[in-house]
Amino acid sequence: MSDSRRSSGSARRAAGVRRASAQRSGQSSRPRAAQSPKGSSRTGKRAASAGGAARGTRAQSTGKRAASTRSAAARRQKKNFLNYPRAGAKNPWRWIPSLRMIAGALALMVLAGLGFAVWLYNDTDVPAPSDFALAQSSRVYYADGETEMGRFSEINRTEIPADEIPENIKQAVVASEDSTFYENRGISPRGIVRALINNLSGGARQGGSTITQQYVERYHTGTNTSYLGKMREMVMALKIDQELSKEEILARYLNTIYFGRGAYGVQEAAQAYFNKDAKDLSDAEAALLVAVIPAPSAYDPANDQDKAVSLWDRVITRQVNLEQMTPAEGDALEFPETAKPSSENELGGTKGYLLVEVRKELLEQGFTEEEIDTGGFTIISTIDKEMQKHSVDAVKDLPDDRPKNNRVGTMTLDPATGAIRAMYGGPDYVKQAQNDATQSRMQAGSIFKTFTLIAALQDGYPLDSLWQGNSPQTFDGGWEVNNFANASYGTVTLERATASSINTAYAQLNLEIGPQRTRDVAVELGLPEDTPGLTEDAANVLGSASPTVGEMAEVYATLAAGGVHRERYIVESVTRPDGSSRYEHEKEEKRAMDQDVATNATVALQGPPTVGSARKLEGIMGGRPVAGKTGTSEKMRSAWFVGFTPQLVTAVAMFQPGEDGSEQSLTPFGGEQYITGSTWPTSVWGQIMSRSLEGQEFIDFAPAVPLDNEIRSRSQPSPQPQPAQAPPPEEEEPSEEPTEEPTEEEPTEEEPTEEEPTEEPEPTDEPEPEPTEEPEPEPTEEQPSDPPGNGDKPGRGGGGRGKPTEKPTAEEQAAGIG
């Protein structure tokens, strides 16, 4: 190492020694009083050292004690911020909260309650009205739009505007249910406290409800007994009280509340208890309705007269106390007499069939069941109240010995529109739900000849075309056809064959034009293609098909309307509660046949009611022009008359099912030996139509017109018909239930009336049969008369064999009860 480096290191060390010496010197340079006493001896130094240590120890101990005291005080001060347990108090007082602590707790509770209330108010919305609150009965009216027929209801309620609710019931409900209604804000603090005390004491849970709260419960939320639910109900009451006027709240409440007897709302209650509208209630009646609100079933006068009187008096007293009436006025009121509770099913009786038919049509038009039951619709039907009464009375007026299982269906239509004006479906829908006018099916018998008549006119055969009317006749395939009583008529015109319902002549005609044509015309006029028994067989002319009364009324209405088909209907219009239109019938029509053809067919059908099987109508209808046709089916299992005037069409059918639903021959009653279309069905038709048309103008049918396609000559059907004679009177009388097998001679109840068989010119290639010992009568379709005829030949599906077989088929014999 060089000398210079060593010299430098020695210098740094020397400087360091000096700085350290200087620092020590500085530390010891204190005032003298603070310095240790001087001494040179070791004893003195030790004494000084000991004294300093002692002073340091004492000072350190004192500092620690002071710090510890300050820390404990701080801890005690932090722990007793609420002074609990109370400082300085002895047990047990130190554990009792101080006033400061109680006040603080109450303040916190109030703040928390206010915060919860603000949250609940903001979080609670007034919901839309419940489905229950909006549900109303849909009312069905007769065609006059004023007379109620019935109603569809899930809830029996009809809302009325606030201005139609009388003041007397508003005052009574306020006096009884909420005397502070017009002053409170939707809730009653006093009522809430009273309910709380009651609930805490173990009584039935109450909600301290005002009218507004009750309205909220019924109109928006439904019954709610939980405390939270009641709190929300009160909040909604506060909000609604700000949104709606008191009058509107009261009106909604009275339109919603249950009054007993199945009645919701004051309008239905007024009807149920007093058979009047709410606007017509007296003060005493209004008070009684209000009195039953708390427990309608228990307080109904019909169930507890004494309780009802007591509560009624309470309402009156409260009204007097609120000065709604004077004491003298209150004393003058008498307890009102109420109507008996109605236990009748809404569908009971004959009107049930009408209501069900209305509902069925509404469903077909796109309505839902729920909509019908709760929509509050005003439904105007097409049913004429007076015509309906005439239809019901006509069936009720049948003789008392009529069998219990004898059933009748009727329907009356307006051919100009297709509107159903009256319908008899049975005596009581509740006891017999099947509608005999629209559901029950019966073999048609000779009323089906009308379709063959129309087809013949369309194919060019005029009314004066000639046909062989002798009986029996056998056609290709062995089909043997007989006339009623096996009577022969010789050669007859088409018009005469229609008037006398000659089976053999019509069998020839059907074979000539083709049975398919008869079927096609029936369908064109409105008969459903799937009608049971509607075939293309030759026997279809004798009525082997089984339609309903309503279907035959509709197809004959097409003829009455000059060939224009209109579907029958029963609902005219549907209006919503607000007065807007929900549905209105739109007329749909189509031409089913030429008008001239319809005119000539109508001319031919005037024969049966004038000179044929239904000629008794001449007297019943007072000479009013009538067209129509009788019909009697296989073994007299059904009997018909379908006829019309220019204004109305009515179809009537009678049948008799067995206990197991099987088809039975009609049991004679009312002095008739046989029940055929010309007997009671014609009588019922005449009573309905003569009374329904009373006072209306006599309108003549149009006369026959020449058709452009008429054929004046025709080929004779093959085989040649076999002439036959009327049976002699000494032959065996028919049994009460005719056999299915045709006999060569069918006896009659009486001898035919004495009329010449050749009243009209009958040119023919065949010679007429020689007369018998007695003059050959001109029999009609039915058993002639005095009394008038008995319909078509029993046992032959309208008078003849159904098919070219040895026996009628089961299909022909079927009555088709549907």
Side-chain angles (χ1 to χ4, degrees), residues 618-690:
E618 281 276 278
I620 296 174
M621 297 299 292
R624 183 185 292 273
V626 172
K629 188 72 186 70
T630 56
T632 307
S633 71
E634 175 82 45
K635 294 186 67 178
M636 292 183 292
R637 288 172 172 164
S638 61
W640 292 76
F641 184 72
V642 187
F644 55 92
T645 68
Q647 299 101 319
L648 291 175
V649 177
T650 294
V652 177
M654 182 177 287
F655 68 106
Q656 182 174 311
E659 291 184 2
D660 59 353
S662 61
E663 305 143 16
Q664 295 183 349
S665 296
L666 289 162
T667 302
F669 66 94
E672 299 287 351
Q673 186 168 352
Y674 300 109
I675 303 301
T676 62
S678 67
T679 60
W680 297 119
T682 297
S683 297
V684 169
W685 188 97
Q687 183 170 333
I688 293 171
M689 291 289 279
S690 62

Side-chain angles (χ1 to χ4, degrees), residues 441 448 519 523 526-535 545-548 551:
R441 294 190 173 276
F448 234 71
R519 180 190 181 280
V523 173
L527 192 68
E529 293 190 55
D530 60 353
T531 300
L534 183 59
T535 66
S546 297
T548 66
E551 289 167 354

Side-chain angles (χ1 to χ4, degrees), residues 17 86 193 205 254 307 347 508 577 603 636 653:
V17 171
R86 293 168 61 187
V193 172
R205 181 171 292 184
L254 287 170
K307 185 67 174 178
L347 297 178
Q508 292 174 10
V603 169
M636 292 183 292

